[in-house]
Amino acid sequence: MNRDSAFRVREILEEHHRWFSESLPMIASENITSLLVREVCASDFSHRYAEGPPGRRFYQGCKYIDEIEFLTIDLAKKLFDAEYANVQPISGTIANLACFDSIAKPGDTMISLNVPHGGHISHSEISAAGVRGLKVKTFPFDVDEMNIDIDRAEKKIREIKPKIVLFGASIFLFPHPIKELYDACRESGATIMYDAAHVLGLIAGKKFQQPFKEGVDVMPASRHKTFPGPQGGVILAKEKFGKRISKAVFPGLVSNHHLHHMAGFAVTLSEMLEYGEAYASQIIRNSKALAQALYDSGFKVLCEHKGFTESHQVVVDISDNGGGTWVAENLEKANIILNKNLLPWDDINNSANPSGIRLGTQELTRLGMKEDDMQDIAKLIKKVVIDKQTPEKVKKEVRELRKEFNKVHYSFDKKADAYSYIRFF
Ligand code: DSN
């Protein structure tokens, strides 16, 4: 019986792998790792402890772990042109919390984006910012531009004089106005933070804004969205913040970091040093092509007047087509996997049925898709959402399309099957 449940886990995983290998994965916060990363993640590193900084551990047995952690730090600093890198946070939210902890005290004020405007939950008082006791004020937002309202934000920063000004978002179509608000931040004494979780791969590829060049002090991120690594977090920063961040991470928030994922991160950093620019360019080309094709098919894609997007994301107001919940659920039945999303005009309490859907092209791009494939995907989405064809019928076409895309591109093991994994029995 116990043996059955143990092996049932593997069967379920096989079913999941089969499903995803026949689907169009478009959740904007996900990606797929290369086979080399998966091998590394299945290594003995997943069994070990390495408390403390590399080279000064509290446990024996860490000489190879140290070697890889030093290598990971060097690669991260090189790729992001950063003075300091901490590769120990076990998620993006933990990375954010460590930054809040090292920069601010309970009762301090932070300005960040409101969740319906695209802010991440950890930027709000109900999550990490609140855990640190921060008082959160929100950026004024320009709905037409789908971006921070620069004039009103400048005024607010100068009035409030926050301890932290936090850029970055989970709906992130266009670069944020760091340069434009830099003087206001500096003259108000704020530390400039940028949550790069969604766009880390685009920054690595030098195709989105370059936060450090624009004046950012501290840049936490997760490493598994447009940056196609195994799950986890990272903090990049100016050197002067390094000591406080290191202390906030260990012993503050992380006892043992996830060593196998750190090693996988080192592999992905190497992949992105080699292929990052080409990968990021193709992601953005694909997003623009998908947005245009959806728009031409009759969808209300946001920001047509701005070319729709400069990132991996496309956002659609789907309120006339059944609403976010109906659309996301029916597309899932057709093996098109994406998420419903609050739009700026939605009530935050209506997150169960918001007006929007958010689509990401980063994983499809890693699977080798190009602009023409985005046209095909828009047609399939139209069949379900506008033409109201049965999702089960459209699923057959999705499977056909997906057959040609089962390799991981922009990696050193291009021939490996995207869903292969290591079997020990
Ligand atoms: N909530 C995730 C997203 O943007 O999908 C990020 O943590």
Side-chain angles (χ1 to χ4, degrees), residues 174 284 287-289 291-292 302-310:
F174 304 104
I284 295 167
S287 301
K288 285 179 177 291
Q292 186 68 56
L302 266 49
C303 292
E304 190 247 342
H305 66 293
K306 296 185 68 180
F308 303 108
T309 180
E310 288 175 31

Side-chain angles (χ1 to χ4, degrees), residues 118-149:
H120 187 247
I121 193 166
S122 64
H123 305 173
S124 72
E125 285 184 16
I126 59 163
S127 180
V131 168
R132 182 55 181 156
L134 300 182
K135 290 191 204 126
V136 178
K137 305 283 177 196
T138 53
F139 276 121
F141 194 72
D142 184 329
V143 172
D144 281 339
E145 295 292 304
M146 278 303 281
N147 210 332
I148 294 163
D149 182 317

Side-chain angles (χ1 to χ4, degrees), residues 26-40:
M26 302 180 77
I27 302 277
S29 52
E30 297 178 351
N31 213 318
I32 186 166
T33 54
S34 64
L35 188 65
L36 183 54
V37 170
R38 269 170 274 160
E39 275 179 12
V40 161

